[in-house]
Amino acid sequence: MSETLTLLASFFPPDLKPSYLAALVPAFLETLGLVFGAMTLATLFSLPLALAVSMRIRGAGLLIHGLSVFRAVPDLTLAILCVIAFGLGPGAGLVALVLYYTAAMSKVFADLLETAPRGPVEALAATGASRLQVALYGLLPLTRADLFNYGAFAFECALRSSVIVGAVGGGGIGTELVGSLAGFDFQRATTQILMLVLLIAALDRLADWARNHPRALVGLIPFGLMAAWWCRPEFFALGHAFHVLGDMLPPSLPTDALQDLPRLVLETLWMAVAGTLGAAIIGLIAGLGASRRVSPAWLVFLTRRILELLRTIPEVVWGLVIVAVAGIGPVAGAWALGLHTFGTFGRLFADTLDHVPEAPGRAIASTGASRLMVGLYAVLPQSLKPVATHFLFRLEWNLRMATVLGLIGAGGIGQALYEAQQLFFYRQVMAYILVTAVLILAFDRLSRSLRARLNRTGGAAVSTGCLPSPAAAL
Amino acid sequence: MSQIIRLAGALGALMMAYVTPMAAQAARAEEPLRVGMIPDAGATQVSIEEKAPLQKYLSEKLGRPVKLIIPTNYNATVEALGNGSLDIAYLGGLTYVKAHARYGAVPLVQRDIDRQFHSLFITGVGSGITKLADLKGKTFCFGDINSTSGHLIPELILHDAGLNPKTDFKGFRYTGSHPATAQAVAAGICAAGAIDESVFHALVNGGKIGKDRVKVFLKSQPFADYVWAARKDLKPDVREAFAAAFLSLKPGLDDAVLKILRGTKFERASDASYQGVAKTAKALGLE
């Protein structure tokens, strides 16, 4: 324990020497260019695709369905495969991000376009407008706010993903961070994490500004394309990619790995459940602390800042740090998921508490009950349903993350996948990828039916992207 | 149906517009020679900058620009040699065996010490560990899973001593690099670990690891380790020029470069030296 604390202390102070900051600039720009370029391309691919679906063009739906393959595998796996096909560096990272986010965004955009109010759309169609005109002048403007929110949110997700992608050789800050942590260069790791946090915070402000100036986004497209060009894959080894793909088929596992499989799956499930449940429990308490209705202003301010810091640092970064400091295994993974999820839950729960109807609370307060009593007996019971919905959404996402965290040493099926991949046992890799995909899809289905039972009007549409619901983007 | 084709066509055209110039660019002359190194001693921008003298030396000797690349893991280095994104790579014994078997990598040069290399078992000075049997119930650090001196050979030694890391240790981990193993043992994250002898001595002599904190308690039998290897279809004259550059390294004249390579003298390498490593890898299920 004391060793762990000593190690934690060695993360401070961060290395802020100008010479080091200058050395980080290329990596920083690479991350920014990578994410900006990838998301510009992903948007340019996914928005027309989603519009095509809404125009009922046959085949577009099928295409999106086909793309869902990319969503079922963790982005880290995708990045590893892209490094094999496109070589090292940001090019592989760019392709991985474009594939993953085109798949995610086209699905969500298509779902969002479906939510456009029927009245105006039918009125427009009645004037004899073509399907294209209905889509461009009806569906698009009617759902613009939601599309933008999800897009901005996906951008932030991509920034987190870029760390993962960098970890396997996709370039940018991620590559630096993994290298620094592996080399016990913790003070520099802190510098990189701080830069990442600042970048995510800056992005948040930018998104707020762009929400009010949607036209400015169009002006960004040329810059996005330039960034994508700058980070383009320097070559494309199609023959090599097919060769490796051929090595993966047919998927198979040796007997001892097969016998170990149930334990690995349970370890991954445990990681997701323990992390999410732990975060939910302390998140409920922190939620009370961050609720304007329950707590005094100073406590609200303090709690919210702490929660903000916890959730701004991506799970993978928490994972890398905890694995480096406390060692590998599912406990490290659960902590990594838990810390980030706690930051998200605390805020979500507080917002839920602040938005439940006030009348029951006033009734209890009128009996002379304290603020705490009002919180426990009026506000909390009313917010259980939305809280449970958030919990399930988050559990779905954390199961995905649990497989990714396995790849960086947190145990479970992800770690088995990574080790098989490192040793070039590609048929095992494919077997693990398939098991992971089945696990994730089965759990998504289970969660969806639970959510449907819990909340018949729930916004089940948006459960596919980086995070399950736009609400979780807060 | 035609709509599907049109849609797929439009997407395809977009992708092509994006990919075609890459092919054109690949054909351009005066491309830098892309030289990769497994991240046996870390993979950050800073560690690449520390190797600047090596890059400068090579581009002077070869008369063309040299790009030094350190992938984040051993597997990526081999795959890069296989898919052609690296021309030449510095590999470990096991990674060379894999790169040769999978992609026909050609061995070029290696340090004189690489033919008779050793792996060291290290532990904290106060740990009380003096022999392999003491490792039972303790935590252990390997280097990268593909490392010869950090995983393959130690695994063999443990196996011969009747120890199975999965069942006999409290836990074990792959740190990803040799300095990380040394640091983890020094910090007490692992009770003991296995490490490359030349990295360990460089760390101790450079004062990065205190002699009062970490001690060696076992030295392996000699085995063949690191080698610089070229991708299968790299032109013979380029291979030859690269080998010559290394063979002409002289202590006293090129100390900055030799220090980076942790060696004093280079020799030609041959595939025959690696039969032992290949056999061990097969026997242990690592290949």
Side-chain angles (χ1 to χ4, degrees), chain A residues 56-99:
Chain A
R56 306 278 176 269
I57 293 181
R58 270 177 304 149
L62 270 178
L63 201 55
I64 286 186
H65 212 69
L67 281 173
S68 69
V69 175
F70 295 118
R71 282 185 290 125
V73 294
D75 40 6
L76 185 51
T77 319
L78 202 56
I80 289 175
L81 298 179
C82 284
V83 167
I84 290 173
F86 297 96
L88 299 158
L94 186 88
V95 177
L97 288 181
V98 169
L99 284 176

Short mmCIF file of all heavy atoms in Angstrom, two decimals, chain A residues 56-99:
data_model
loop_
_atom_site.label_atom_id
_atom_site.label_comp_id
_atom_site.label_asym_id
_atom_site.label_seq_id
_atom_site.Cartn_x
_atom_site.Cartn_y
_atom_site.Cartn_z
N ARG A 56 -35.68 6.49 -47.40
CA ARG A 56 -36.13 5.14 -47.76
C ARG A 56 -35.44 4.63 -49.02
O ARG A 56 -36.03 3.94 -49.82
CB ARG A 56 -37.64 5.08 -47.96
CG ARG A 56 -38.46 5.59 -46.80
CD ARG A 56 -38.63 4.55 -45.71
NE ARG A 56 -39.34 5.11 -44.55
CZ ARG A 56 -38.73 5.70 -43.51
NH1 ARG A 56 -37.42 5.81 -43.48
NH2 ARG A 56 -39.42 6.17 -42.50
N ILE A 57 -34.19 5.04 -49.23
CA ILE A 57 -33.43 4.47 -50.35
C ILE A 57 -33.02 3.07 -49.96
O ILE A 57 -32.38 2.87 -48.92
CB ILE A 57 -32.18 5.32 -50.66
CG1 ILE A 57 -32.62 6.68 -51.18
CG2 ILE A 57 -31.28 4.61 -51.67
CD1 ILE A 57 -31.49 7.59 -51.54
N ARG A 58 -33.45 2.12 -50.77
CA ARG A 58 -33.14 0.74 -50.42
C ARG A 58 -31.63 0.53 -50.45
O ARG A 58 -30.93 1.10 -51.27
CB ARG A 58 -33.82 -0.22 -51.40
CG ARG A 58 -35.21 -0.61 -50.92
CD ARG A 58 -35.87 -1.49 -51.95
NE ARG A 58 -35.91 -0.83 -53.24
CZ ARG A 58 -35.86 -1.49 -54.40
NH1 ARG A 58 -35.74 -2.78 -54.41
NH2 ARG A 58 -35.93 -0.83 -55.55
N GLY A 59 -31.15 -0.26 -49.53
CA GLY A 59 -29.72 -0.54 -49.51
C GLY A 59 -29.00 0.28 -48.46
O GLY A 59 -28.08 -0.22 -47.83
N ALA A 60 -29.44 1.54 -48.25
CA ALA A 60 -28.76 2.38 -47.26
C ALA A 60 -28.89 1.77 -45.88
O ALA A 60 -27.92 1.70 -45.12
CB ALA A 60 -29.34 3.79 -47.28
N GLY A 61 -30.12 1.29 -45.56
CA GLY A 61 -30.33 0.65 -44.27
C GLY A 61 -29.44 -0.57 -44.12
O GLY A 61 -28.85 -0.80 -43.07
N LEU A 62 -29.38 -1.33 -45.21
CA LEU A 62 -28.54 -2.54 -45.19
C LEU A 62 -27.08 -2.18 -44.93
O LEU A 62 -26.39 -2.85 -44.17
CB LEU A 62 -28.65 -3.26 -46.53
CG LEU A 62 -29.75 -4.31 -46.66
CD1 LEU A 62 -29.75 -4.90 -48.06
CD2 LEU A 62 -29.52 -5.42 -45.62
N LEU A 63 -26.65 -1.08 -45.57
CA LEU A 63 -25.26 -0.65 -45.43
C LEU A 63 -24.96 -0.31 -43.97
O LEU A 63 -23.93 -0.71 -43.42
CB LEU A 63 -25.02 0.56 -46.33
CG LEU A 63 -23.58 0.86 -46.71
CD1 LEU A 63 -22.93 -0.35 -47.35
CD2 LEU A 63 -23.52 2.05 -47.64
N ILE A 64 -25.90 0.44 -43.35
CA ILE A 64 -25.71 0.80 -41.94
C ILE A 64 -25.69 -0.46 -41.08
O ILE A 64 -24.89 -0.59 -40.16
CB ILE A 64 -26.84 1.76 -41.48
CG1 ILE A 64 -26.58 3.14 -42.08
CG2 ILE A 64 -26.89 1.83 -39.97
CD1 ILE A 64 -27.52 4.19 -41.59
N HIS A 65 -26.57 -1.39 -41.43
CA HIS A 65 -26.61 -2.64 -40.71
C HIS A 65 -25.26 -3.36 -40.82
O HIS A 65 -24.74 -3.88 -39.84
CB HIS A 65 -27.72 -3.52 -41.29
CG HIS A 65 -28.35 -4.38 -40.25
ND1 HIS A 65 -29.13 -3.88 -39.23
CD2 HIS A 65 -28.29 -5.72 -40.06
CE1 HIS A 65 -29.53 -4.87 -38.47
NE2 HIS A 65 -29.03 -6.00 -38.95
N GLY A 66 -24.74 -3.36 -42.05
CA GLY A 66 -23.45 -3.99 -42.27
C GLY A 66 -22.35 -3.31 -41.48
O GLY A 66 -21.48 -3.96 -40.90
N LEU A 67 -22.41 -1.98 -41.41
CA LEU A 67 -21.39 -1.22 -40.68
C LEU A 67 -21.40 -1.55 -39.19
O LEU A 67 -20.42 -1.34 -38.50
CB LEU A 67 -21.61 0.29 -40.87
CG LEU A 67 -21.13 0.90 -42.19
CD1 LEU A 67 -21.58 2.34 -42.27
CD2 LEU A 67 -19.61 0.82 -42.27
N SER A 68 -22.55 -2.06 -38.71
CA SER A 68 -22.66 -2.30 -37.26
C SER A 68 -21.63 -3.33 -36.80
O SER A 68 -21.36 -3.43 -35.61
CB SER A 68 -24.07 -2.74 -36.88
OG SER A 68 -24.33 -4.02 -37.40
N VAL A 69 -21.06 -4.09 -37.74
CA VAL A 69 -19.95 -4.99 -37.40
C VAL A 69 -18.86 -4.22 -36.67
O VAL A 69 -18.29 -4.67 -35.68
CB VAL A 69 -19.34 -5.61 -38.68
CG1 VAL A 69 -18.13 -6.46 -38.35
CG2 VAL A 69 -20.38 -6.44 -39.40
N PHE A 70 -18.59 -3.00 -37.18
CA PHE A 70 -17.50 -2.21 -36.61
C PHE A 70 -17.82 -1.70 -35.21
O PHE A 70 -16.93 -1.34 -34.46
CB PHE A 70 -17.16 -1.02 -37.51
CG PHE A 70 -16.61 -1.44 -38.84
CD1 PHE A 70 -17.27 -1.13 -40.01
CD2 PHE A 70 -15.44 -2.18 -38.92
CE1 PHE A 70 -16.76 -1.53 -41.24
CE2 PHE A 70 -14.93 -2.58 -40.13
CZ PHE A 70 -15.59 -2.26 -41.30
N ARG A 71 -19.13 -1.63 -34.89
CA ARG A 71 -19.47 -1.14 -33.57
C ARG A 71 -19.39 -2.23 -32.52
O ARG A 71 -19.24 -1.96 -31.34
CB ARG A 71 -20.89 -0.54 -33.57
CG ARG A 71 -20.95 0.84 -34.16
CD ARG A 71 -22.35 1.39 -34.02
NE ARG A 71 -23.28 0.68 -34.89
CZ ARG A 71 -24.39 0.09 -34.49
NH1 ARG A 71 -24.71 0.10 -33.21
NH2 ARG A 71 -25.18 -0.50 -35.35
N ALA A 72 -19.54 -3.48 -32.96
CA ALA A 72 -19.55 -4.59 -32.00
C ALA A 72 -18.15 -4.93 -31.51
O ALA A 72 -17.99 -5.50 -30.45
CB ALA A 72 -20.21 -5.81 -32.60
N VAL A 73 -17.12 -4.58 -32.30
CA VAL A 73 -15.76 -4.83 -31.81
C VAL A 73 -15.25 -3.56 -31.14
O VAL A 73 -15.53 -2.46 -31.60
CB VAL A 73 -14.79 -5.24 -32.94
CG1 VAL A 73 -15.17 -6.58 -33.52
CG2 VAL A 73 -14.73 -4.19 -34.03
N PRO A 74 -14.52 -3.71 -30.04
CA PRO A 74 -13.99 -2.52 -29.36
C PRO A 74 -13.08 -1.73 -30.29
O PRO A 74 -12.40 -2.32 -31.14
CB PRO A 74 -13.19 -3.10 -28.20
CG PRO A 74 -13.66 -4.50 -28.04
CD PRO A 74 -14.14 -4.95 -29.37
N ASP A 75 -13.07 -0.40 -30.14
CA ASP A 75 -12.27 0.44 -31.05
C ASP A 75 -10.78 0.10 -31.00
O ASP A 75 -10.07 0.26 -31.97
CB ASP A 75 -12.50 1.94 -30.80
CG ASP A 75 -12.62 2.28 -29.34
OD1 ASP A 75 -12.41 1.37 -28.52
OD2 ASP A 75 -12.93 3.42 -29.02
N LEU A 76 -10.34 -0.43 -29.85
CA LEU A 76 -8.93 -0.77 -29.73
C LEU A 76 -8.57 -1.93 -30.66
O LEU A 76 -7.53 -1.92 -31.33
CB LEU A 76 -8.59 -1.13 -28.28
CG LEU A 76 -7.14 -1.41 -27.96
CD1 LEU A 76 -6.25 -0.31 -28.46
CD2 LEU A 76 -6.95 -1.57 -26.48
N THR A 77 -9.46 -2.93 -30.72
CA THR A 77 -9.23 -4.08 -31.61
C THR A 77 -9.15 -3.60 -33.05
O THR A 77 -8.28 -4.00 -33.82
CB THR A 77 -10.38 -5.08 -31.48
OG1 THR A 77 -10.73 -5.20 -30.12
CG2 THR A 77 -9.98 -6.43 -32.02
N LEU A 78 -10.08 -2.71 -33.37
CA LEU A 78 -10.13 -2.16 -34.72
C LEU A 78 -8.81 -1.45 -35.05
O LEU A 78 -8.27 -1.59 -36.15
CB LEU A 78 -11.30 -1.18 -34.80
CG LEU A 78 -11.87 -0.88 -36.17
CD1 LEU A 78 -12.31 -2.14 -36.86
CD2 LEU A 78 -13.05 0.07 -36.03
N ALA A 79 -8.30 -0.72 -34.07
CA ALA A 79 -7.05 0.03 -34.28
C ALA A 79 -5.89 -0.93 -34.51
O ALA A 79 -5.04 -0.68 -35.37
CB ALA A 79 -6.78 0.92 -33.08
N ILE A 80 -5.85 -2.03 -33.77
CA ILE A 80 -4.77 -3.01 -33.94
C ILE A 80 -4.80 -3.56 -35.36
O ILE A 80 -3.78 -3.67 -36.03
CB ILE A 80 -4.91 -4.16 -32.92
CG1 ILE A 80 -4.59 -3.67 -31.51
CG2 ILE A 80 -3.99 -5.32 -33.28
CD1 ILE A 80 -4.82 -4.69 -30.43
N LEU A 81 -6.02 -3.89 -35.84
CA LEU A 81 -6.15 -4.43 -37.19
C LEU A 81 -5.73 -3.39 -38.22
O LEU A 81 -5.11 -3.71 -39.24
CB LEU A 81 -7.58 -4.90 -37.43
CG LEU A 81 -8.05 -6.03 -36.50
CD1 LEU A 81 -9.50 -6.41 -36.79
CD2 LEU A 81 -7.15 -7.25 -36.61
N CYS A 82 -6.07 -2.12 -37.96
CA CYS A 82 -5.70 -1.07 -38.91
C CYS A 82 -4.20 -0.86 -38.95
O CYS A 82 -3.64 -0.55 -40.01
CB CYS A 82 -6.40 0.24 -38.55
SG CYS A 82 -8.14 0.23 -39.01
N VAL A 83 -3.52 -1.02 -37.81
CA VAL A 83 -2.06 -0.89 -37.80
C VAL A 83 -1.45 -1.98 -38.68
O VAL A 83 -0.48 -1.75 -39.40
CB VAL A 83 -1.50 -0.97 -36.35
CG1 VAL A 83 0.01 -1.14 -36.37
CG2 VAL A 83 -1.86 0.30 -35.59
N ILE A 84 -2.06 -3.17 -38.66
CA ILE A 84 -1.56 -4.27 -39.50
C ILE A 84 -1.74 -3.93 -40.98
O ILE A 84 -0.86 -4.18 -41.80
CB ILE A 84 -2.27 -5.59 -39.12
CG1 ILE A 84 -1.80 -6.04 -37.74
CG2 ILE A 84 -1.99 -6.67 -40.16
CD1 ILE A 84 -2.54 -7.23 -37.20
N ALA A 85 -2.89 -3.34 -41.33
CA ALA A 85 -3.18 -3.08 -42.74
C ALA A 85 -2.54 -1.79 -43.26
O ALA A 85 -2.14 -1.71 -44.41
CB ALA A 85 -4.69 -3.04 -42.97
N PHE A 86 -2.45 -0.77 -42.40
CA PHE A 86 -2.03 0.55 -42.87
C PHE A 86 -0.69 1.00 -42.29
O PHE A 86 -0.31 2.15 -42.45
CB PHE A 86 -3.08 1.60 -42.54
CG PHE A 86 -4.39 1.36 -43.22
CD1 PHE A 86 -5.41 0.71 -42.56
CD2 PHE A 86 -4.59 1.76 -44.52
CE1 PHE A 86 -6.61 0.46 -43.18
CE2 PHE A 86 -5.79 1.53 -45.16
CZ PHE A 86 -6.80 0.87 -44.49
N GLY A 87 -0.01 0.09 -41.59
CA GLY A 87 1.27 0.47 -41.04
C GLY A 87 1.13 1.31 -39.78
O GLY A 87 0.03 1.61 -39.34
N LEU A 88 2.28 1.72 -39.24
CA LEU A 88 2.26 2.47 -38.01
C LEU A 88 1.91 3.92 -38.26
O LEU A 88 1.94 4.37 -39.39
CB LEU A 88 3.66 2.40 -37.38
CG LEU A 88 4.10 0.99 -37.02
CD1 LEU A 88 5.60 0.93 -36.92
CD2 LEU A 88 3.45 0.56 -35.73
N GLY A 89 1.59 4.63 -37.18
CA GLY A 89 1.40 6.07 -37.29
C GLY A 89 -0.06 6.46 -37.39
O GLY A 89 -0.94 5.62 -37.36
N PRO A 90 -0.28 7.78 -37.51
CA PRO A 90 -1.65 8.29 -37.44
C PRO A 90 -2.57 7.77 -38.54
O PRO A 90 -3.78 7.78 -38.37
CB PRO A 90 -1.47 9.80 -37.53
CG PRO A 90 -0.11 10.00 -38.09
CD PRO A 90 0.70 8.82 -37.68
N GLY A 91 -2.01 7.33 -39.66
CA GLY A 91 -2.85 6.82 -40.75
C GLY A 91 -3.76 5.70 -40.29
O GLY A 91 -4.96 5.69 -40.56
N ALA A 92 -3.17 4.73 -39.56
CA ALA A 92 -3.95 3.60 -39.06
C ALA A 92 -5.00 4.09 -38.07
O ALA A 92 -6.16 3.65 -38.11
CB ALA A 92 -3.02 2.59 -38.39
N GLY A 93 -4.60 5.02 -37.20
CA GLY A 93 -5.54 5.57 -36.23
C GLY A 93 -6.69 6.27 -36.93
O GLY A 93 -7.85 6.11 -36.54
N LEU A 94 -6.36 7.00 -38.00
CA LEU A 94 -7.40 7.73 -38.74
C LEU A 94 -8.42 6.76 -39.32
O LEU A 94 -9.63 6.94 -39.15
CB LEU A 94 -6.76 8.55 -39.87
CG LEU A 94 -7.75 9.45 -40.61
CD1 LEU A 94 -7.86 10.79 -39.93
CD2 LEU A 94 -7.37 9.63 -42.06
N VAL A 95 -7.95 5.70 -39.97
CA VAL A 95 -8.88 4.75 -40.58
C VAL A 95 -9.74 4.08 -39.51
O VAL A 95 -10.96 3.93 -39.67
CB VAL A 95 -8.11 3.69 -41.40
CG1 VAL A 95 -9.08 2.66 -41.97
CG2 VAL A 95 -7.34 4.35 -42.52
N ALA A 96 -9.11 3.69 -38.38
CA ALA A 96 -9.87 3.04 -37.31
C ALA A 96 -10.97 3.96 -36.80
O ALA A 96 -12.13 3.54 -36.65
CB ALA A 96 -8.94 2.65 -36.16
N LEU A 97 -10.63 5.22 -36.56
CA LEU A 97 -11.63 6.16 -36.03
C LEU A 97 -12.72 6.42 -37.07
O LEU A 97 -13.90 6.48 -36.73
CB LEU A 97 -10.96 7.49 -35.63
CG LEU A 97 -10.10 7.45 -34.36
CD1 LEU A 97 -9.53 8.83 -34.08
CD2 LEU A 97 -10.90 6.98 -33.17
N VAL A 98 -12.34 6.58 -38.34
CA VAL A 98 -13.34 6.84 -39.38
C VAL A 98 -14.33 5.67 -39.46
O VAL A 98 -15.54 5.87 -39.47
CB VAL A 98 -12.69 7.09 -40.76
CG1 VAL A 98 -13.74 7.09 -41.86
CG2 VAL A 98 -11.95 8.41 -40.76
N LEU A 99 -13.82 4.44 -39.48
CA LEU A 99 -14.69 3.27 -39.56
C LEU A 99 -15.62 3.21 -38.36
O LEU A 99 -16.84 3.07 -38.48
CB LEU A 99 -13.86 1.98 -39.62
CG LEU A 99 -13.19 1.66 -40.95
CD1 LEU A 99 -12.34 0.41 -40.81
CD2 LEU A 99 -14.25 1.45 -42.03
#
